[in-house]
Amino acid sequence: MTSMLATHRIKLTVLLIAANLGLILHLLSGEIKPVSAWDWLDVAGEGGSAVLILVWIGLLLKSRPAGYVTDLLFTGLGCLFFSLFMDTVDEFIALPVAINWDGWLESGPMPVGFILLTLGIFHWHREQLAINEQMRNRERLFREHRQFDKLTPLGDANYLRAQLQLALGEASNARQPLSVIMLDLDAFSRINREYGHAEGDRLLQVLTQLLLLNLRQHDLLCRLAGDRFVVTLPHTGERQAQLLAGEMGQAVRSLAYKSSRQGERIELSATVVALMARDEDTSSLLQRLNIAMARAKQNLTVQYG
């Protein structure tokens, strides 16, 4: 909850100020009604609806990253909350007959809120379709539930080995090249140490979506372990695999990742290596890949050490 308040504090502050200004305006212009004049049915209906919208806002801000779609949804819900809150306030405060601005406060934001909500839901729908398409292109129909990685929506190490074994057999039978890419985040332990393991888990989830969006339809991304990912590239020679590896490394460096605690940018980089499979089994290929990664990491340490 603390990280949510820190990330969206401006939105929540504006909503709080608007609601309080409306309340103060009613108090300055009218008089509090006697309890006998309160319509408890309206209070329960309008006030309860306002409280539920606050719950929706909390769930929205907690489950979605900051951005255009989130802003649309929040603003739409905020307008609905404001209208219902003003309706509720009107049940407790009587305004002079000459005053008519209360009608605008109660009814004006409502259609605006519905329009913004509709736009936000439309863009959210398109966003989800794009993500679903990426995920669908990278899943295998016979994936077993126990082979899901526990943190990301990817196959785990066992699933990778099973799929790599199938891919090696298919490549051999079709006499087509098969390559693999391994990506390992640099200084990931420092991020866990300085920002906490929850931030590290969140970073891996964001990184997963980034990598998926930078792969081709027939490529398969799996999480091998920790911050290490492996991509299987059917019908791909080593030169093309190295180009794709370079693009993945550049995508990680260009990612404007913000921490959930203070919102500051965390500079990221990754070591990426690519190899083409030979006439070998899964274990031999992964062993070569791990050796290539160890050498690349060693060169990186020497270069910056």
Side-chain angles (χ1 to χ4, degrees), residues 19-261:
N20 278 280
L21 286 177
L23 176 60
I24 292 171
L25 190 59
H26 276 76
L27 289 172
L28 292 176
S29 304
E31 296 180 353
I32 297 179
K33 296 179 181 179
V35 177
S36 59
W38 293 357
D39 189 331
W40 289 105
L41 183 60
D42 284 348
V43 170
E46 296 162 359
S49 298
V51 171
L52 285 177
I53 288 179
L54 284 181
V55 173
W56 295 354
I57 288 175
L59 293 173
L60 169 71
L61 297 183
K62 191 173 182 179
S63 61
R64 282 192 55 86
Y68 175 69
V69 177
T70 302
D71 289 343
L72 280 175
L73 294 171
F74 173 84
T75 307
L77 288 173
C79 289
L80 297 184
F81 167 77
F82 184 81
S83 285
L84 289 168
F85 181 69
M86 290 297 98
D87 275 342
T88 306
V89 168
D90 191 55
E91 299 300 324
F92 298 100
I93 300 174
L95 295 174
V97 178
I99 290 179
N100 55 17
W101 47 257
D102 61 316
W104 286 98
L105 292 182
E106 295 170 11
S107 304
M110 187 73 72
V112 176
F114 278 118
I115 291 172
L116 293 175
L117 264 181
T118 302
L119 288 173
I121 292 173
F122 171 73
H123 288 292
W124 193 357
H125 169 71
R126 293 185 60 186
E127 176 187 274
Q128 194 59 49
L129 286 178
I131 293 174
N132 290 345
E133 183 65 23
Q134 291 292 336
M135 295 302 300
R136 185 162 49 248
N137 289 335
R138 284 151 182 82
E139 288 180 344
R140 298 299 187 265
L141 294 177
F142 50 88
R143 173 186 288 189
E144 297 182 15
H145 178 72
R146 65 177 180 271
Q147 292 180 326
F148 273 106
D149 177 54
K150 291 181 174 58
L151 179 63
T152 65
L154 302 177
D156 59 12
N158 291 329
Y159 181 72
L160 169 66
R161 292 186 178 93
Q163 291 300 310
L164 198 52
Q165 182 177 354
L166 290 174
L168 285 168
E170 291 174 358
S172 176
N173 293 334
R175 298 184 181 277
Q176 290 290 332
L178 172 72
S179 295
V180 287
I181 291 175
M182 178 176 285
L183 180 144
D184 190 290
L185 276 178
D186 299 329
F188 182 66
S189 59
R190 177 185 61 82
I191 295 174
N192 277 330
R193 187 173 59 253
E194 294 182 5
Y195 295 93
H197 288 278
E199 188 68 56
D201 290 347
R202 177 172 172 265
L203 171 57
L204 291 178
Q205 292 168 344
V206 172
L207 180 64
T208 295
Q209 298 300 330
L210 174 72
L211 297 179
L212 287 173
L213 293 171
N214 280 274
L215 293 176
R216 303 167 303 181
Q217 291 187 358
H218 56 276
D219 300 334
L220 176 66
L221 174 67
C222 294
R223 184 184 179 207
L224 183 61
D227 59 324
R228 185 163 290 189
F229 298 81
V230 173
V231 186
T232 305
L233 307 168
H235 312 296
T236 305
E238 188 163 3
R239 184 175 180 181
Q240 187 179 4
Q242 289 173 347
L243 290 175
L244 291 170
E247 292 174 355
M248 292 173 65
Q250 182 59 47
V252 174
R253 288 190 295 273
S254 301
L255 177 62
Y257 180 81
K258 305 293 194 306
S259 73
S260 58
R261 188 192 313 164

